[in-house]
Amino acid sequence: MSETPEIKSAEPVPSQAPTPGMGAPPGLLDRTLDTLRAGWREIAASARGVVGAAPRANLPREDAERLKEQIEACLDGRGGEVSARARAAQLGRTYLALDGQGRRNFLMMLARDFDVDRAAVDQAMATFQTAGDPVSRGHAERALRRALEPPRLRLLTQFNGLPEGVKFLVDLRAELMEMARGEPLLQALEDDLKSLLRNWFDVGFLEMRRITWDSPASLLEKLIKYEAVHEISGWRDLKDRLDSDRRCFAFFHPRMPNEPLIFVEVALVQGMSDNVQALLDPSAPVCDPKSADSAIFYSISNAQVGLAGISFGNFLIKRVVDGLTGEFPNIKCFATLSPIPGFRRWLDRELAERGDSLLSPPEAERIAEAMASHPETGESETDSDADERPVLAGALALPSWHTDDELQKQLRGPLMRLCAHYLTTARASDRRSERAGAAPARALDPVAHFHLSNGARMERLNWLGDRSPKGVRQSCGMMINYRYKLGEIDANHEAYRGEGKVNASSAIRSLGKGGA
């Protein structure tokens, strides 16, 4: 109601959360890092002899060796808990002071030199295999479990006790995800950190809060920065999105009380919305929320890049539905107004492979006739380019095709059919062979996968529901309503996750019958 991961339009999409070294908004991030460094400096200085000479920014080999000794001291617990906490704070401050190459060197050292001790694992396995009685076997099992835990995991856990330490690890993983591509050592470290964060961010630990215009300014500023579906243009726009006929809810973690993890924006309206510009129109009158019969989830944004792959968006939706049902008993329709971010990419691939065979001859003829009278036709390409390009590709290449009444009229039928076919049949695993016993292939569109996983039904496809440049670029301007019917959510979820069944309305299925 991603990409997710996938509401004024609703879904998990790639998060825009600020993270160190990843193009974060400078003002917000700089203040966070300044606070972090200042707080950790005092902790690091609280134990005598902990703070040494700072390494150079690029962390050359000799500096890395000294840092390695510092890490070993952290793991040994020399000097008690106060010293261990101080050393962890100093390590964190050291990492934040490094440049990109220095951070990579730091993480490579952590991945390489503080991995599982294979010899200790072999010895523990041998002891386990020869254990004769239940008591000995129990001791051997526990010893093997300890041997399989890499020392770096214990080091990372120490940051949990520092102010903003969990946020530091979340942002650290965001950087690590980028660095780990094609580097097995760093990938193993990233897997360890993801496992740690998944345990800490179990949904049972999370608190759902409503965000209002009276919330702290620092939190409202983060909403503007983190919004990943429909950009918030400023404070006035944000105020409109928090008006009396709107709701915004977010999940928070007790160790990150001022950082939203994921948030959802909801419009309380009459009827199921079909156009996001109308929903976001600042001049539209404010409705009485008590008269609303529909709750439209138009935006879901994952605020923390470092929590990618740790899913709790579905739990947020269900809690919001429960809360709104209690507050507004007249609301009977819970639905999204969602983007279709993967459609245009899929269509471009299909056009490259199949060209105008995607269209019927009458469709191709009518589109070609409409293009002939369009003022932009032929302005930026040679005659040979126009002759070789499929007619549908040529029409979509015209920047203002969606504002030309005749052209968009002729494109509507074919594009709606192709989009319905894409949503109901395209699978993410189409290009790999199915393994025996493997889970059913997921929907190719990430937003569709998110909502189908949560038990929604594809309800209605909306022509030119998003005329923004982003909407036209991603999905030819189309949007979709996913509907959450409270009595069907669990059954839909099981059918999709267990059998790969896409639950769609008869209207969408009829649209897609012509196929591609």
Side-chain angles (χ1 to χ4, degrees), residues 2 9 11 13-14 228-230 338-348 419 422 445 447 466 468-479:
S2 49
S9 161
E11 349 316 307
V13 296
V229 183
H230 299 293
S338 301
I340 312 168
F343 173 60
R344 185 60 192 272
R345 288 194 302 271
W346 173 86
L347 180 59
D348 287 344
C419 190
Y422 160 74
D445 190 83
V447 172
D466 183 2
S468 71
K470 180 181 178 182
V472 173
R473 183 175 63 252
Q474 286 189 338
S475 61
C476 301
M478 284 178 282
M479 302 191 78

Side-chain angles (χ1 to χ4, degrees), residues 123-138:
Q123 182 177 349
M125 287 179 63
T127 302
F128 172 75
Q129 289 169 347
T130 58
D133 60 88
V135 174
S136 298
R137 195 172 185 84

Side-chain angles (χ1 to χ4, degrees), residues 140-259:
E141 285 175 352
R142 290 188 288 275
L144 178 57
R145 196 177 300 123
R146 287 193 297 270
L148 287 169
E149 182 180 283
R152 62 195 181 213
L153 204 56
R154 288 190 284 117
L155 177 71
L156 295 172
T157 302
Q158 292 184 6
F159 285 92
N160 190 23
L162 296 176
E164 303 293 337
V166 174
K167 172 61 174 169
F168 169 77
L169 291 180
V170 169
D171 288 347
L172 177 65
R173 181 175 175 244
E175 287 194 319
L176 191 51
M177 289 164 62
E178 290 291 313
M179 296 181 192
R181 293 175 183 171
E183 177 50 69
L185 274 176
L186 291 182
Q187 184 60 60
L189 175 59
E190 193 268 320
D191 287 344
D192 284 347
L193 185 50
K194 180 180 179 181
S195 176
L196 194 66
L197 293 173
R198 179 182 282 117
N199 290 333
W200 290 352
F201 283 85
D202 181 275
V203 69
F205 299 141
L206 305 183
E207 175 193 2
M208 187 182 82
R209 286 189 237 153
R210 180 182 170 192
I211 299 174
T212 72
W213 186 244
D214 294 324
S215 297
S218 59
L219 177 56
L220 298 180
E221 183 182 17
K222 288 170 185 174
L223 288 192
I224 296 175
K225 298 293 185 183
Y226 292 165
E227 168 60 52
V229 183
H230 299 293
E231 180 182 1
I232 299 174
S233 60
W235 291 103
R236 174 63 184 272
D237 187 10
L238 178 62
K239 192 174 190 298
D240 288 339
R241 298 195 192 197
L242 299 175
D243 217 327
S244 60
D245 60 347
R246 298 291 188 263
R247 294 292 185 273
C248 180
F249 298 93
F251 264 157
F252 293 84
H253 189 276
R255 300 295 301 187
M256 293 170 55
N258 301 313
E259 282 283 344

Side-chain angles (χ1 to χ4, degrees), residues 221-490:
E221 183 182 17
K222 288 170 185 174
L223 288 192
I224 296 175
K225 298 293 185 183
Y226 292 165
E227 168 60 52
V229 183
H230 299 293
E231 180 182 1
I232 299 174
S233 60
W235 291 103
R236 174 63 184 272
D237 187 10
L238 178 62
K239 192 174 190 298
D240 288 339
R241 298 195 192 197
L242 299 175
D243 217 327
S244 60
D245 60 347
R246 298 291 188 263
R247 294 292 185 273
C248 180
F249 298 93
F251 264 157
F252 293 84
H253 189 276
R255 300 295 301 187
M256 293 170 55
N258 301 313
E259 282 283 344
L261 309 180
I262 184 172
F263 59 92
V264 57
E265 298 169 65
V266 189
L268 307 177
V269 296
Q270 288 282 346
M272 192 161 54
S273 301
D274 62 1
N275 184 282
V276 73
Q277 274 76 43
L279 203 61
L280 292 169
D281 183 1
S283 65
V286 176
C287 301
D288 178 1
K290 293 181 180 179
S291 69
D293 61 14
S294 300
I296 304 300
F297 295 74
Y298 65 86
S299 180
I300 300 177
S301 294
N302 293 309
Q304 308 296 327
V305 174
L307 295 178
I310 301 172
S311 177
F312 29 66
N314 55 334
F315 295 99
L316 176 61
I317 289 171
K318 290 171 184 174
R319 289 195 191 178
V320 170
V321 169
D322 288 342
L324 291 176
T325 299
E327 186 179 1
F328 301 106
N330 289 334
I331 293 180
K332 305 302 180 185
C333 175
F334 295 92
T336 78
L337 182 58
S338 301
I340 312 168
F343 173 60
R344 185 60 192 272
R345 288 194 302 271
W346 173 86
L347 180 59
D348 287 344
R349 288 197 300 268
E350 293 292 308
L351 283 169
E353 294 176 8
R354 300 173 57 187
D356 284 332
S357 66
L358 294 174
L359 304 175
S360 69
E363 286 174 338
E365 183 178 345
R366 289 193 294 268
I367 292 171
E369 290 175 357
M371 285 178 64
S373 60
H374 189 77
E376 293 172 342
T377 300
E379 283 186 356
S380 60
E381 59 187 2
T382 65
D383 291 341
S384 60
D385 290 333
D387 290 340
E388 293 175 5
R389 175 182 285 174
V391 65
L392 181 55
L396 294 178
L398 299 172
S400 62
W401 68 262
H402 57 291
T403 64
D404 183 299
D405 290 343
E406 182 59 27
L407 185 53
Q408 61 106 338
K409 174 183 174 182
Q410 299 306 329
L411 287 171
R412 176 173 179 160
L415 287 178
M416 292 275 279
R417 182 187 74 247
L418 291 166
C419 190
H421 177 78
Y422 160 74
L423 286 167
T424 56
T425 67
R427 293 290 192 262
S429 60
D430 283 346
R431 298 183 179 181
R432 69 172 186 262
S433 58
E434 292 292 333
R435 302 186 306 275
R442 54 175 282 177
L444 180 58
D445 190 83
V447 172
H449 173 67
F450 176 81
H451 289 296
L452 293 169
S453 295
N454 292 341
R457 180 177 79 172
M458 294 181 180
E459 190 70 18
R460 185 179 68 191
L461 200 55
N462 301 299
W463 176 245
L464 295 183
D466 183 2
R467 291 174 175 261
S468 71
K470 180 181 178 182
V472 173
R473 183 175 63 252
Q474 286 189 338
S475 61
C476 301
M478 284 178 282
M479 302 191 78
I480 181 174
N481 302 112
Y482 294 93
R483 187 164 184 178
Y484 285 81
K485 289 192 171 182
L486 299 184
E488 300 175 6
I489 287 176
D490 290 342

